[in-house]
Amino acid sequence: MRPSEPSGDSIPAEVRALVMPAVLDELTRWGVERFSIEALAERHHLDPAMVYRYWADRRQLIVDAVLSDVEKVSSGTDTGSLRGDLEALARNVTNRINTEIGCTLLRALVMDRRGGHDELTRLRFWRAHFGAMRAVVDRARERGELRDDVNTLAAVQILLAPLNIRALYSDVPVDDDYCAAIVDMAWHALARR
């Protein structure tokens, strides 16, 4: 019997350590559209039955790979100031989307239903990113650095949307100057005067 959704707690660490790098390698080489568990298993000398034991289908495996390092997005973002937190978060997101696999996964998640990712998939991905940004906003609010009328969802979009749009519509990596400009605009929009 296959699980309906993978759970990080139910997948043994040694299985995850074996499968996740292989998934990311396959996605980098072949993209989401051409990804298959059978090809993954053959190229990386994995037992397909073992993969299916923990991931019911290719979509769940891809989603798990996308979310497997999402905690990196929020790491190091508690700098003690709103501007520092925004900069750390923007750099973390930029470091991810500037990689081939990060850009591939981001583009796959905005494809229509024919791309094999439903609304639940996209929701899980964006919820994880929203959680990282919400922590930044909540800390700034507690420190008294945030304007009173800041909408958390709008704050997330002010910072993350330009970075993601650049990665979606251009093959040019997000550079430090662009990232700094977005952080500056977000800080000016959110900070108490």
Side-chain angles (χ1 to χ4, degrees):
M1 183 170 186
R2 295 178 184 163
S4 60
E5 286 295 330
S7 166
D9 296 333
S10 65
I11 301 170
E14 62 275 6
V15 171
R16 184 172 292 285
L18 191 63
V19 174
M20 285 299 118
V23 172
L24 295 176
D25 179 64
E26 286 292 298
L27 289 169
T28 301
R29 287 177 190 233
W30 306 105
V32 173
E33 300 82 14
R34 293 176 53 198
F35 180 89
S36 86
I37 291 177
E38 290 73 20
L40 164 91
E42 183 177 327
R43 269 190 283 280
H44 295 275
H45 310 290
L46 300 171
D47 177 12
M50 182 267 303
V51 176
Y52 280 116
R53 186 176 313 125
Y54 297 104
W55 294 275
D57 58 35
R58 67 185 287 281
R59 182 192 66 83
Q60 288 182 3
L61 185 54
I62 292 168
V63 169
D64 199 23
V66 170
L67 297 176
S68 67
D69 70 346
V70 79
E71 66 275 357
K72 291 179 185 172
V73 170
S74 61
S75 71
T77 59
D78 190 357
T79 67
S81 73
L82 174 60
R83 185 182 284 275
D85 288 2
L86 291 171
E87 184 174 312
L89 182 60
R91 297 266 179 234
N92 289 349
V93 169
T94 298
N95 289 341
R96 180 66 170 154
I97 61 178
N98 275 346
T99 66
E100 187 176 357
I101 188 63
C103 191
T104 296
L105 295 173
L106 179 64
R107 288 175 178 172
L109 288 171
V110 296
M111 292 173 62
D112 62 20
R113 286 192 173 102
R114 291 174 300 207
H117 297 284
D118 58 18
E119 190 60 28
L120 180 60
T121 301
R122 287 186 277 276
L123 183 62
R124 288 179 65 202
F125 177 78
W126 294 115
R127 187 178 288 150
H129 284 79
F130 179 79
M133 182 66 183
R134 178 177 204 106
V136 167
V137 170
D138 289 347
R139 284 192 304 266
R141 190 170 277 128
E142 288 169 11
R143 291 188 301 252
E145 295 178 277
L146 211 60
R147 288 188 359 228
D148 292 331
D149 59 344
V150 169
N151 175 287
T152 304
L153 179 58
V156 170
Q157 293 169 338
I158 287 169
L159 183 69
L160 299 182
L163 300 173
N164 288 313
I165 292 295
R166 176 94 175 250
L168 289 171
Y169 291 104
S170 173
D171 289 330
V172 177
V174 177
D175 60 38
D176 289 343
D177 290 340
Y178 183 78
C179 190
I182 298 304
V183 168
D184 191 55
M185 286 190 287
W187 182 80
H188 282 289
L190 304 173
R192 181 183 299 279
R193 301 280 183 256

